[in-house]
Amino acid sequence: MSFSVVQGFTKSLAMTVLSEIGDKTFFAAAILAMRYPRRLVLAGCLSALVVMTILSAVVGWAAPNLISRKWTHHITTVLFFGFGLWSLRDAYKGEGGDDELGEVEAELDADLKKNKETVKNDGKDDEDLKKQNRTFLTQIVSPIFLKAFSINFFGEWGDKSQLATIGLAADENPFGVVLGGILGQALCTTAAVIGGKSLAKQISERFVALSAGVLFIVFGLQSILSPVQ
């Protein structure tokens, strides 16, 4: 590989941290950690994000084998500038923050209420019957782990950070991108689980969005100035 592992690592780490701090999955991890055992929430959330990072990097790595590297380089450059302007617009408008936190909390509250009603309705059922009705997966893996995993995996699908990871892996060393992405996800998710909702509320969404916007613009400029390899 002619691409630098260190460069892919540092770019991916910086991009992941600025994209994930205050993101929907960050809030979800913080709220889930307040309601369920932290170790299960952390394991579920982090597993989902690690799988998503690896899948995204694989897609980015395969892209130059499907279309020319010249085109993947140009597409990645456009993505960086697009995400940069998107983040700067969010910073200017002050979007996100409390609204997104409230949205995630409302979704989790509705899901929790639904589960409680199900448990109440099934209260007269025999314990053996309950075990039979449980899926095979929930019998060997904690339902809390599965809940945290599914919320973060599908919440991250099609997200800005996922698409940016694909673009980075197409233009940088995919191994470095995976390492940086996983470390960034681990830092953000651990902070969310340990810090909880109070930490999420203290985050300045405008500052994070502004920083992410500037970073993406820098990546875009660097992509323009660097030759296609």
Side-chain angles (χ1 to χ4, degrees):
M1 271 279 186
S2 58
F3 304 113
S4 169
V5 175
V6 174
Q7 182 170 300
F9 173 83
T10 53
K11 278 189 173 184
S12 181
L13 176 61
M15 181 274 297
T16 301
V17 169
L18 289 178
S19 297
E20 291 301 319
I21 288 289
D23 190 62
K24 186 175 183 179
T25 53
F26 181 89
F27 290 138
I31 297 171
L32 285 171
M34 297 176 64
R35 301 176 176 177
Y36 305 106
R38 289 181 175 180
R39 68 182 187 282
L40 294 176
V41 172
L42 179 60
C45 293
L46 195 52
S47 296
L49 296 172
V50 167
V51 170
M52 181 61 72
T53 299
I54 294 174
L55 288 176
S56 302
V58 169
V59 172
W61 168 78
N65 297 318
L66 301 176
I67 57 179
S68 69
R69 181 163 292 281
K70 178 181 178 181
W71 277 106
T72 58
H73 183 80
H74 292 332
I75 292 171
T76 300
T77 302
V78 172
L79 279 175
F80 286 151
F81 279 114
F83 291 149
L85 294 175
W86 181 3
S87 297
L88 291 176
R89 187 207 66 175
D90 289 346
Y92 176 75
K93 292 185 176 182
E95 294 180 353
D98 293 336
D99 291 339
E100 192 162 21
L101 176 60
E103 179 184 341
V104 174
E105 198 165 15
E107 291 177 1
L108 293 177
D109 283 340
D111 188 55
L112 183 64
K113 184 178 179 181
K114 181 180 178 181
N115 290 340
K116 285 182 177 179
E117 289 177 352
T118 302
V119 171
K120 185 177 180 180
N121 293 333
D122 295 341
K124 297 180 181 180
D125 293 342
D126 185 76
E127 190 66 27
D128 293 336
L129 183 60
K130 287 183 181 180
K131 290 182 179 180
Q132 291 176 8
N133 290 334
R134 289 175 61 186
T135 64
F136 174 74
L137 191 59
T138 56
Q139 290 183 37
I140 61 175
V141 182
S142 167
I144 298 172
F145 174 91
L146 292 176
K147 183 183 183 72
F149 183 96
S150 61
I151 288 175
N152 278 264
F153 185 84
F154 293 108
E156 198 71 12
W157 191 265
D159 192 65
K160 181 166 53 178
S161 60
Q162 187 212 7
L163 298 177
T165 300
I166 294 175
L168 271 180
D171 223 32
E172 300 288 347
N173 186 299
F175 182 67
V177 171
V178 168
L179 290 180
I182 289 176
L183 178 58
Q185 298 285 11
L187 292 174
C188 294
T189 306
T190 302
V193 169
I194 295 176
K197 188 176 174 182
S198 59
L199 175 62
K201 284 187 173 181
Q202 292 174 10
I203 293 172
S204 171
E205 280 293 306
R206 177 166 290 181
F207 176 77
V208 172
L210 180 62
S211 301
V214 172
L215 182 69
F216 279 124
I217 296 295
V218 170
F219 285 174
L221 291 173
Q222 187 180 39
S223 185
I224 290 176
L225 297 175
S226 62
V228 180
Q229 302 184 39

